[in-house]
Amino acid sequence: MQSPQGSDGRRISRITMADIAAAADADVSTVSRTLSRERDSIRTKKGKRIWEIADELGYSPNLTASSLRTNTTKLIAVFVPRLRDEVLALMYEGIEEELQKHGYQCMVLSTGDDPDVQLAKLDVAIQRGVDGILFGDAMVGSKVLPKVKKAGIPYLLFNRPLEGHRSVTCDDFGGGVLAAKHLMELTDGPLVVYKAMDYAMNLVHRSAGFLQTVREHGRIAVDGFHLNGGIYAEDGMRAAREMVAESRAPFGAFVVNDTAGIGALGEFTRSGLKPGDDVYVVGFNDISLAKATPIALTTIVSPTRELGHLAASSLLTIIGGGDPESVQLPVELVVRESSTPLAKQS
């Protein structure tokens, strides 16, 4: 392998641990042990000096050589359905922050909820020799998880749970229960839910919690609007048009994702319905736009960044030989204008 070249065309030699050892008057083995530890954990004067010299010389570790020695790459693959989702972006920030604290790096693989793409990108992750995989795009019936299990790669699900696989998620079912109880207090009319995709179990659990609670109280529950339509604003708009056509106002609407909820809220107002009078709307997740729209969206708050941190930490425990349990983080309801009676708003 050739050395990199400088601006004058001459080759620049890679700074090695031997160079640092010579400058620090230390053994190469001491330098190796020092640089393999987190910098903040170094307490000795000699160790701190080694790190200072490494910075001064512009040392960067040879990751390929390191992975050959240790049979690890310090690389984690993170599978997500799409990159446009703010919720997953916040989860990923938590994942990256936690992994970096432990010397790991991430590679993000976007699959578009396409089973064939999932399998193809799993092959990429395996070829890269990742130490573990975090799946944020688990789908009912997917062939990816059996394959990664067979390959013996440590993995964990986040965002979307699946029975039989360890996961870190929020209490999706409980969030649906909260939405139902809130809307039942506001209107005697029908209570409808936009379920979105039936292959994503987090969304299935949200709608299930809602529908079960409504029916247990002897209320009319309407489901299935625009099933498998997606979780974005345009999907919420289409679902809202169906709700308006089939439900007599006033009614309560639970949309299992905030982005779709904001789209639905806009469509309700364009159709002439008044939120807080003709329709009461609840979303899920509390994305940044939920409180910034002209009519702020009532929603179920989920701890996205915290969830990412915990998912990464749990995966590292598995990589280290541990056996963490699945976790559901608590959620809470935050009430805003979309479900506040107009009389109270004024």
Side-chain angles (χ1 to χ4, degrees):
M1 182 182 293
Q2 293 184 338
S3 300
Q5 293 184 336
S7 57
D8 59 359
R10 290 183 296 179
R11 290 179 183 172
I12 302 172
S13 297
R14 175 188 286 273
I15 300 299
T16 67
M17 289 188 185
D19 298 322
I20 298 170
D25 191 22
D27 296 330
V28 173
S29 60
T30 301
V31 173
S32 177
R33 287 195 302 272
T34 301
L35 297 182
S36 68
R37 296 171 56 192
E38 295 291 330
R39 184 169 188 162
D40 292 344
S41 70
I42 303 300
R43 296 289 180 265
T44 66
K45 185 179 294 186
K46 173 69 78 174
K48 292 179 179 178
R49 180 58 183 153
I50 287 172
W51 267 106
E52 289 173 1
I53 292 172
D55 287 343
E56 291 169 3
L57 295 179
Y59 170 77
S60 60
N62 187 331
L63 296 179
T64 300
S66 177
S67 67
L68 289 173
R69 287 194 306 271
T70 63
N71 198 31
T72 63
T73 58
K74 291 289 186 177
L75 182 64
I76 301 297
V78 183
F79 280 61
V80 297
R82 292 170 185 83
L83 295 174
R84 65 184 281 196
D85 192 324
E86 178 183 328
V87 175
L88 281 164
L90 290 171
M91 289 181 185
Y92 176 75
E93 288 181 6
I95 289 169
E96 187 174 45
E97 289 168 0
E98 186 66 28
L99 291 178
Q100 285 183 347
K101 288 194 301 185
H102 298 276
Y104 284 80
Q105 298 297 321
C106 304
M107 60 181 292
V108 183
L109 299 167
S110 176
T111 63
D113 277 340
D114 185 321
D116 292 332
V117 174
Q118 287 180 326
L119 286 170
K121 294 201 173 181
L122 176 60
D123 288 339
V124 172
I126 293 173
Q127 290 164 11
R128 291 291 300 274
V130 297
D131 292 339
I133 303 177
L134 287 166
F135 288 101
D137 63 344
M139 299 171 63
V140 174
S142 171
K143 297 178 181 179
V144 165
L145 297 181
K147 185 173 181 178
V148 75
K149 211 169 186 178
K150 185 176 180 180
I153 300 173
Y155 72 97
L156 182 95
L157 311 190
F158 72 100
N159 181 47
R160 298 178 183 174
L162 272 181
E163 188 175 353
H165 303 276
R166 277 180 293 210
S167 62
V168 174
T169 61
C170 69
D171 184 4
D172 295 295
F173 187 91
V177 172
L178 290 176
K181 290 181 176 179
H182 176 62
L183 291 174
M184 285 190 294
E185 293 174 352
L186 297 170
T187 176
D188 294 328
L191 299 171
V192 301
V193 58
Y194 172 50
K195 298 170 68 173
M197 301 101 68
D198 61 359
Y199 57 78
M201 289 307 297
N202 57 336
L203 307 183
V204 170
H205 290 163
R206 292 172 193 179
S207 59
F210 179 85
L211 292 168
Q212 179 176 310
T213 304
V214 171
R215 289 165 179 161
E216 284 176 349
H217 287 76
R219 299 286 299 276
I220 298 173
V222 185
D223 67 348
F225 287 102
H226 207 61
L227 186 62
N228 290 334
I231 55 173
Y232 298 106
E234 59 270 26
D235 303 304
M237 291 168 62
R238 286 193 288 270
R241 285 194 287 269
E242 295 175 17
M243 291 177 182
V244 171
E246 298 185 30
S247 303
R248 180 180 298 177
F251 63 90
F254 175 44
V255 183
V256 294
N257 164 275
D258 275 352
T259 305
I262 291 169
L265 187 58
E267 189 64 25
F268 287 140
T269 58
R270 281 187 291 274
S271 70
L273 297 182
K274 297 177 181 178
D277 189 15
D278 302 312
V279 63
Y280 302 87
V281 186
V282 178
F284 202 110
N285 282 134
D286 197 27
I287 64 173
S288 56
L289 279 177
K291 60 179 75 71
T293 53
I295 301 173
L297 181 67
T298 292
T299 190
I300 306 298
V301 181
S302 61
T304 48
R305 191 184 293 269
E306 180 187 349
L307 193 152
H309 275 281
L310 184 56
S313 176
S314 296
L315 178 61
L316 294 181
T317 298
I318 296 170
I319 291 172
D323 187 23
E325 295 183 353
S326 293
V327 176
Q328 287 187 349
L329 296 177
V331 297
E332 61 180 325
L333 172 75
V334 59
V335 178
R336 300 192 179 108
E337 288 89 344
S338 70
S339 70
T340 301
L342 289 179
K344 291 186 178 180
Q345 292 183 37
S346 59

